[in-house]
Amino acid sequence: MKVTGLPIVAVLILIAGHVARASDLDELKIKRKEVFAFTQEPRVVRQGRDFEIEFAVQDYCDATVVVEGPDKKIIRHLAAGVLGQNAPEPFQRGTLKQSLLWDGKNDRQEYVEHVDDCAIRVSLGLKAEFERTLFWEPKKRIGAGLGSGIGTSFNTPAQLLAAAPEGVYVFEGHGVDQLKLFGHDGKYLRTIYPFPSDKLSAVQGLNMVDFPQDDKKLPYKWGCQRSTLLSSGSTAQYGVYIQAQWGTGSELLAVRGSRLALGLTKLNRLSTDGSSGGLNLTGPKISYLANMLNSNRPKNDVLDVGPLVGAFSPDGKYLYLTGYIWRDGVPGRSLCRDAFNCVTKLEYDKDTIPQLFLGSDKQDETGSGDKQLKSPASVACDKQGRVYVADYGNNRIQVASPDGQILKSIPVSHPVKVCVDPVSDEIHVFSWLLQNDSLLKGDANSAIPATYTRLGTVDHPGKTAQCALPLPGYQDRVSRMAKWGGLEYRVEVDFWSNPPTVWIAANSGGTIESFTGGVDNSVGAEAATGGWAEKNVRVYKPADGKLECLHDFGSDVAKSIVRSRPPFFQRQRLYVSPKTGKLYVGEGDPTRWFKAFQQLVEIDPANGQCRLVDLPLSAEDMAFDNDGLMYLRTNTAIARFDPETWREVPFDYGEEFKDFTFSDQKNGPRIDLMSGLPLGAETYVSQWHNGGLSVSPKGYIVVPSIVDKAGFRTWTGKDEKSANAAAPAGGGYEPPLYPGRARFGEVHVYDKHGKRIYQDAVPGIRYMLGIAMDSHDDIYVLTHETRMYNGAPYFNVKTGTLLKLPPCLGKFMTDKPGGVNPPVPLTSTSTPKRPPELMKGDEKFWVDGVKWLFGGVGFAGKGDPVSGGGCSCWNARFALDYFGRSFVPEIDHYSVAVLDSAGNLMMRIGKYGNADDGKPLQPDGGSPVAHSIGGDEVALFHAAYLAVDSDNRLFIADAGNSRILSVKLVYNTNSRTRISDITSKNLEARAPLRTEH
């Protein structure tokens, strides 16, 4: 066993680019030269079992050397990286001429038996090509999370709908935001937001920033998650991270001509062409502040209450707003549902706040007079500019002139949505139960059917037709289902289809069981339990006195990509099998805190086909070795399986586990393990992400072991050496302590038999966003601390830092150590005599023994006092291939950084774009209107999770566009020869390799 807060002013200065010197930021610059040519063609000398490979290049580009089997699959990853003064081993530094040796072994350090069937390839200039879109369906819901409270109700609001001559616009926000246009036949047409790449310059008022990576000016995203360019809603909030994690950019959607309106706390102005229509994107504040008067709330506690519905005047000049219904589901607070009983009016292209149009803007003031309203739920305009208000609590439709004079009052029971035919002025009304606190007493014992009624025109009102409204999961009496303030459903009439159709969307609704629909074992099982296939848009046409379903978005999703349920916390961890090349997607299933998965989506990148794979237990993370065995980790142990048979592959040094699964999960799959690998955690923390898991080319297992405060060691005052403790039987561990050591958990490394070979391999490290080990046993870890440049953090303090360290020879130190009792602080003598390498909040970190660092990557929500959030269920993962090349998400830069094992930035993959941007090599499975954006054609918006299959493919999960991109990894220049071409009789002969360009 080898036992071995940043001030806001500083952030703004960094953003402006006035602090960081170019020399400090050099690590963010691409190091390779873009010249990919040999000046000496590669030659090979065979010397017994060894092979010497020589070549020379024109300039310091990147080079890759591999040994391929007869099927051209790599059996030995010899070398890859940027040539020059910092060339990674085994390349020679500072020379254009290279010579390296292959010892005849594969990646597992075993001699290759039939070496004459192999080939040696030397390639120059790694290149990315967008191959195809995977696991994308534009009709799929994007929101899954705790929309109205934790532990009681799990709601995600319904999609917003707005019909127009060109089709029906559908908006949904849930941590990320998307606005799409569908045809009248329900087919996807295009994405409006995220903004198309070719319209980005036409969006006025974006927060444009000069990024230090390449000095490009790019839009900087808003909010605690840094996940939206919309400034209108809760996704753009700071400080309220619990709401922002599953927040939305808008709860209203209105369209007229080319003008689109989104809003919640502010108005956002868009155009149907994907620009902002010549106006500033951010308009005026449109919300009211409500005093929360619940007995368990502070008297001065307030809530920002925005409108849920908007309607344009026929000329598009004015916007009417209503539905000021508030709902408060933040944990620890009781739900409060009430309303400002008013309609407001604003001039769309002005920045003046809305003016009262009807009703009262005083909290709780209501009435039944002509200009009084009681829980108004929607508003509409006809072609003459008359304004129609669904006055729910007064059981009527109020019709007003554009100057606010009441023209007519039309009785109708419980109107929630009113629509007016733009040609005939016929009134269409939808009624159902709203669970609003001010109305519950009157409606508590009444059954309110959901109905669709046609009322003639304002000049000749009267019921002309009525039928039942098929709202999924609807309950016609007061219940606990409705927690979103009343508009659990959104309804729209598409007057431009023939005949007019009714579009219905529903929120997730109900308790956790109905929210998840169970695990997606089959489409039928999901639908039968009222799951996500049911909680999606459906399009109906009137026929024989009822509404007949024409298009079912949920059913279409299940048919095309199998899984209807969207990922929790926009998390899609990616894993690729080196044996088969297939991709596996791990999303949070209905396990405790949704941190584990018990079912994977398997995707064949060759054709994009998906299938669901049930796991034998619930796992928080997983990894593959190069034999294709699957390692499943919980927070206490690792189990190993052959995924072809699901037979356990036991560890020699493992332990027996009974009824084994993730954490304290009460349901889901469990298994008796013959010999699992205990992680040494003294306790477990089920709601945390556990830091990662990977298997090196040698088969070494590198894994963090997380403890909570019950397992933190007490400091005895002993020095570091005498405090060191060996691992007791069963895997428990007490680490050596030193001044400045924090404790969140330890990193241990095991061989394929389960024997611990490196103990406490990265001392003092805190939260990890993935960890890996290369063929030389060096450890790569994406930590949540932000990289320091010239004495200040990278301007997005939500980013983390990728580091490379030798096992057990480096250590982390902080000026705020925690996790031990009492902590051992740094002193004037023990504090390193250099600026800190990392920072998070006001905490400084030094890292001894680090080989290199690379900042501005990933996402880490903890400890950020500037934009808020003491925690975040959102995170990121990097990927390490068998060359030791790191693929790291630069989420705010809309790119993926590729570094060699020496820390040289080789290239960047991707740039800003939406789901229609980028022309793939294989169009099937992607946008029908995909267009070229040049370069590698990889368009990204919020890409946080990666997986790589060395020299084959990079996979990128882009939550901002709800798709996974398969990116081919190729080279500008290739040179290859068969070993059999090197005659064994003439051992000194130098055989030229055939060059392919």
Side-chain angles (χ1 to χ4, degrees):
M1 179 180 293
K2 302 177 184 177
V3 179
T4 58
L6 185 65
I8 294 178
V9 172
V11 174
L12 295 176
I13 291 174
L14 274 172
I15 292 176
H18 297 309
V19 170
R21 296 191 303 260
S23 59
D24 293 326
L25 297 168
D26 185 60
E27 73 182 41
L28 300 177
K29 306 299 183 182
I30 293 175
K31 304 301 186 299
R32 76 175 183 183
K33 303 296 184 181
E34 300 292 313
V35 179
F36 310 115
F38 293 111
T39 57
Q40 176 185 317
E41 291 292 332
R43 291 178 175 271
V44 176
V45 176
R46 182 170 183 173
Q47 299 173 344
R49 281 187 167 181
D50 294 341
F51 296 83
E52 184 181 4
I53 306 159
E54 293 182 349
F55 65 94
V57 296
Q58 184 173 331
D59 207 342
Y60 290 124
C61 61
D62 65 294
T64 300
V65 185
V66 304
V67 181
E68 299 175 335
D71 56 358
K72 289 190 176 183
K73 189 171 182 179
I74 299 174
I75 60 173
R76 180 68 180 275
H77 298 74
L78 281 174
V82 179
L83 303 178
Q85 297 300 324
N86 191 39
E89 294 181 352
F91 291 132
Q92 293 84 49
R93 294 186 171 185
T95 177
L96 296 172
K97 187 174 182 179
Q98 295 293 322
S99 176
L100 60 156
L101 193 71
W102 177 44
D103 58 7
K105 297 179 180 179
N106 60 21
D107 283 327
R108 291 186 293 274
Q109 295 300 299
E110 304 164 339
Y111 279 108
V112 177
E113 291 185 6
H114 304 289
V115 70
D116 285 351
D117 296 332
C118 299
I120 294 175
R121 171 168 58 84
V122 180
S123 302
L124 304 179
L126 182 65
K127 184 169 62 173
E129 296 176 344
F130 178 25
E131 182 184 24
R132 69 165 77 238
T133 297
L134 302 173
F135 200 43
W136 180 74
E137 169 54 65
K139 296 179 180 179
K140 184 176 179 178
R141 298 291 305 267
I142 70 169
L146 317 179
S148 289
I150 296 176
T152 55
S153 177
F154 292 74
N155 285 274
T156 297
Q159 301 110 305
L160 309 181
L161 308 168
E166 63 271 21
V168 178
Y169 293 88
V170 179
F171 175 89
E172 186 171 12
H174 206 263
V176 295
D177 302 304
Q178 295 178 8
L179 175 59
K180 303 166 188 171
L181 175 64
F182 292 87
H184 302 293
D185 58 358
K187 292 182 179 179
Y188 170 82
L189 297 179
R190 56 191 171 89
T191 291
I192 312 301
Y193 176 86
F195 305 111
S197 61
D198 60 357
K199 295 294 183 181
L200 195 62
S201 61
V203 180
Q204 298 183 17
L206 291 175
N207 183 19
M208 303 298 290
V209 170
D210 290 317
F211 277 74
Q213 285 85 346
D214 45 21
D215 300 321
K216 289 183 179 178
K217 191 177 287 291
L218 297 171
Y220 189 45
K221 289 175 281 190
W222 300 105
C224 286
Q225 319 309 324
R226 293 290 178 192
S227 59
T228 188
L229 295 177
L230 300 179
S231 56
S232 46
S234 52
T235 40
Q237 287 182 355
Y238 299 108
V240 191
Y241 67 91
I242 291 179
Q243 293 178 358
Q245 283 189 134
W246 44 80
T248 177
S250 183
E251 290 188 12
L252 71 86
L253 171 63
V255 60
R256 177 73 68 170
S258 64
R259 292 185 163 185
L260 280 162
L262 299 173
L264 180 55
T265 59
K266 298 177 182 176
L267 174 68
N268 271 185
R269 297 173 287 214
L270 293 81
S271 173
T272 56
D273 68 357
S275 71
S276 62
L279 300 174
N280 195 300
L281 173 67
T282 303
K285 182 177 175 62
I286 58 174
S287 58
Y288 290 108
L289 288 178
N291 289 317
M292 297 288 96
L293 304 178
N294 302 22
S295 59
N296 66 330
R297 301 282 299 267
K299 296 300 182 182
N300 60 349
D301 200 0
V302 296
L303 184 69
D304 222 355
V305 179
L308 303 183
V309 181
F312 277 103
S313 61
D315 58 4
K317 182 177 181 180
Y318 296 101
L319 184 66
Y320 297 90
L321 304 171
T322 195
Y324 290 93
I325 303 171
W326 66 73
R327 54 258 167 256
D328 178 20
V330 177
R333 302 174 178 178
S334 62
L335 258 116
C336 179
R337 302 181 298 276
D338 216 320
F340 285 96
N341 300 289
C342 63
V343 175
T344 61
K345 179 180 180 180
L346 62 82
E347 201 165 348
Y348 180 79
D349 57 3
K350 299 290 174 52
D351 290 334
T352 53
I353 63 172
Q355 302 299 305
L356 183 65
F357 180 72
L358 286 178
S360 172
D361 55 6
K362 295 180 180 179
Q363 186 172 335
D364 300 326
E365 187 168 281
T366 185
S368 57
D370 275 354
K371 291 191 176 183
Q372 292 179 307
L373 300 171
K374 188 176 184 181
S375 293
S378 75
V379 62
C381 289
D382 65 17
K383 63 177 181 288
Q384 298 180 48
R386 292 175 293 201
V387 181
Y388 297 69
V389 182
D391 189 7
Y392 178 90
N394 286 317
N395 293 296
R396 64 188 181 184
I397 302 294
Q398 292 293 83
V399 184
S401 64
D403 61 0
Q405 301 302 311
I406 298 299
L407 303 176
K408 187 163 291 187
S409 183
I410 304 172
V412 61
S413 176
H414 298 91
V416 178
K417 174 72 174 181
V418 58
C419 302
V420 182
D421 190 309
V423 176
S424 69
D425 282 345
E426 184 184 25
I427 306 168
H428 296 238
V429 179
F430 301 86
S431 300
W432 65 83
L433 171 68
L434 289 187
Q435 291 207 140
N436 187 278
D437 282 351
S438 65
L439 306 173
L440 290 183
K441 291 182 180 180
D443 290 334
N445 300 313
S446 303
I448 301 175
T451 58
Y452 168 39
T453 306
R454 298 171 71 162
L455 284 177
T457 66
V458 67
D459 298 322
H460 302 285
K463 186 191 301 183
T464 61
Q466 188 176 69
C467 65
L469 186 62
L471 302 178
Y474 178 68
Q475 298 182 28
D476 62 4
R477 288 175 173 83
V478 173
S479 72
R480 293 192 62 190
M481 174 197 170
K483 296 289 187 182
W484 201 251
L487 294 187
E488 285 77 23
Y489 304 96
R490 297 291 183 134
V491 179
E492 178 77 337
V493 179
D494 179 7
F495 292 108
W496 291 271
S497 63
N498 187 18
T501 54
V502 175
W503 291 53
I504 300 176
N507 81 339
S508 65
T511 62
I512 184 171
E513 288 79 13
S514 63
F515 171 74
T516 59
V519 180
D520 275 328
N521 291 313
S522 68
V523 174
E526 184 189 45
T529 54
W532 281 98
E534 226 177 80
K535 307 298 186 180
N536 208 330
V537 172
R538 291 180 178 177
V539 183
Y540 297 85
K541 73 171 182 179
D544 300 325
K546 63 179 182 179
L547 291 177
E548 176 184 306
C549 186
L550 293 176
H551 310 292
D552 184 339
F553 280 27
S555 176
D556 292 344
V557 172
K559 290 175 183 176
S560 65
I561 60 170
V562 181
R563 171 168 280 181
S564 299
R565 172 170 48 80
F568 284 91
F569 309 118
Q570 303 300 341
R571 191 192 78 181
Q572 292 179 307
R573 290 189 184 163
L574 304 182
Y575 311 90
V576 61
S577 169
K579 182 179 180 179
T580 66
K582 290 185 178 180
L583 177 70
Y584 294 84
V585 185
E587 301 174 331
D589 286 327
T591 54
R592 179 169 170 79
W593 286 94
F594 311 98
K595 296 302 192 300
F597 45 81
Q598 52 204 42
Q599 188 180 66
L600 300 171
V601 181
E602 180 191 84
I603 305 175
D604 187 342
N607 53 31
Q609 293 184 358
C610 307
R611 76 181 185 99
L612 298 176
V613 176
D614 292 320
L615 296 177
L617 56 90
S618 292
E620 193 273 334
D621 211 339
M622 60 173 276
F624 286 97
D625 64 19
N626 53 16
D627 290 321
L629 298 181
M630 182 185 290
Y631 296 68
L632 300 177
R633 76 156 290 173
T634 69
N635 37 17
T636 57
I638 296 173
R640 182 168 57 191
F641 298 91
D642 181 346
E644 294 182 1
T645 62
W646 291 118
R647 292 185 61 183
E648 182 187 353
V649 182
F651 293 98
D652 297 338
Y653 290 80
E655 293 182 5
E656 184 179 3
F657 288 84
K658 293 291 186 181
D659 202 27
F660 182 70
T661 192
F662 174 74
S663 183
D664 54 354
Q665 186 172 325
K666 297 179 181 179
N667 50 36
R670 295 172 178 268
I671 192 171
D672 291 340
L673 293 180
M674 291 184 289
S675 184
L677 181 62
L679 295 180
E682 292 157 341
T683 56
Y684 59 79
V685 186
S686 61
Q687 68 267 33
W688 288 343
H689 296 280
N690 284 200
L693 170 70
S694 69
V695 183
S696 79
K698 291 182 181 178
Y700 289 175
I701 306 158
V702 54
V703 58
S705 175
I706 308 300
V707 298
D708 69 8
K709 290 183 179 180
F712 289 159
R713 171 176 178 181
T714 299
W715 173 247
T716 63
K718 297 179 180 180
D719 62 22
E720 184 175 332
K721 293 182 180 179
S722 63
N724 185 29
Y733 177 71
E734 288 188 353
L737 300 180
Y738 53 81
R741 174 165 190 160
R743 192 181 185 199
F744 176 72
E746 285 74 54
V747 175
H748 303 302
V749 182
Y750 306 82
D751 67 13
K752 64 181 181 180
H753 304 291
K755 180 180 180 181
R756 189 181 293 179
I757 58 173
Y758 295 112
Q759 182 169 284
D760 198 14
V762 191
I765 193 166
R766 284 253 182 102
Y767 303 98
M768 290 156 275
L769 306 175
I771 194 165
M773 174 176 275
D774 66 17
S775 59
H776 303 289
D777 293 1
D778 283 321
I779 293 175
Y780 302 71
V781 61
L782 180 55
T783 181
H784 91 303
E785 288 87 19
T786 305
R787 182 76 168 103
M788 299 288 285
Y789 294 108
N790 194 36
Y794 178 80
F795 74 87
N796 181 0
V797 294
K798 291 286 190 177
T799 56
T801 304
L802 182 70
L803 307 97
K804 178 181 177 179
L805 306 101
C808 304
L809 298 180
K811 66 178 181 181
F812 282 69
M813 292 167 285
T814 172
D815 62 347
K816 296 182 183 297
V820 291
N821 185 26
V824 188
L826 287 171
T827 65
S828 58
T829 56
S830 60
T831 299
K833 301 302 186 286
R834 65 179 189 273
E837 284 80 28
L838 307 170
M839 177 177 273
K840 183 59 70 171
D842 60 353
E843 187 175 357
K844 301 180 181 67
F845 293 83
W846 292 263
V847 190
D848 279 354
V850 65
K851 290 191 173 183
W852 52 260
L853 305 95
F854 187 83
V857 292
F859 175 86
K862 289 193 68 65
D864 171 19
V866 176
S867 59
C871 181
S872 179
C873 293
W874 291 41
N875 48 52
R877 285 294 170 87
F878 77 104
L880 188 77
D881 72 7
Y882 283 177
F883 295 107
R885 295 184 302 202
S886 301
F887 296 77
V888 200
E890 296 179 309
I891 301 173
D892 61 331
H893 189 258
Y894 312 96
S895 61
V896 173
V898 185
L899 295 90
D900 66 21
S901 60
N904 301 305
L905 180 61
M906 299 170 58
M907 62 183 296
R908 284 192 165 90
I909 297 173
K911 59 183 177 181
Y912 174 91
N914 70 15
D916 301 329
D917 289 321
K919 195 76 171 177
L921 301 174
Q922 302 294 333
D924 53 304
S927 169
V929 291
H931 59 270
S932 176
I933 59 173
D936 55 29
E937 299 287 353
V938 175
L940 305 174
F941 187 81
H942 193 88
Y945 298 94
L946 309 176
V948 65
D949 185 7
S950 290
D951 263 24
N952 289 315
R953 293 180 173 94
L954 170 69
F955 300 101
I956 307 172
D958 182 5
N961 289 311
S962 297
R963 66 175 180 173
I964 297 173
L965 294 84
S966 176
V967 180
K968 288 289 289 181
L969 298 176
V970 296
Y971 293 90
N972 285 275
T973 302
N974 294 292
S975 181
R976 179 183 290 108
T977 195
R978 295 188 300 272
I979 300 297
S980 58
D981 290 341
I982 307 172
T983 173
S984 59
K985 293 181 180 180
N986 184 5
L987 298 181
E988 298 301 321
R990 296 177 181 269
L993 288 83
R994 296 176 178 84
T995 302
E996 304 169 359
H997 297 282

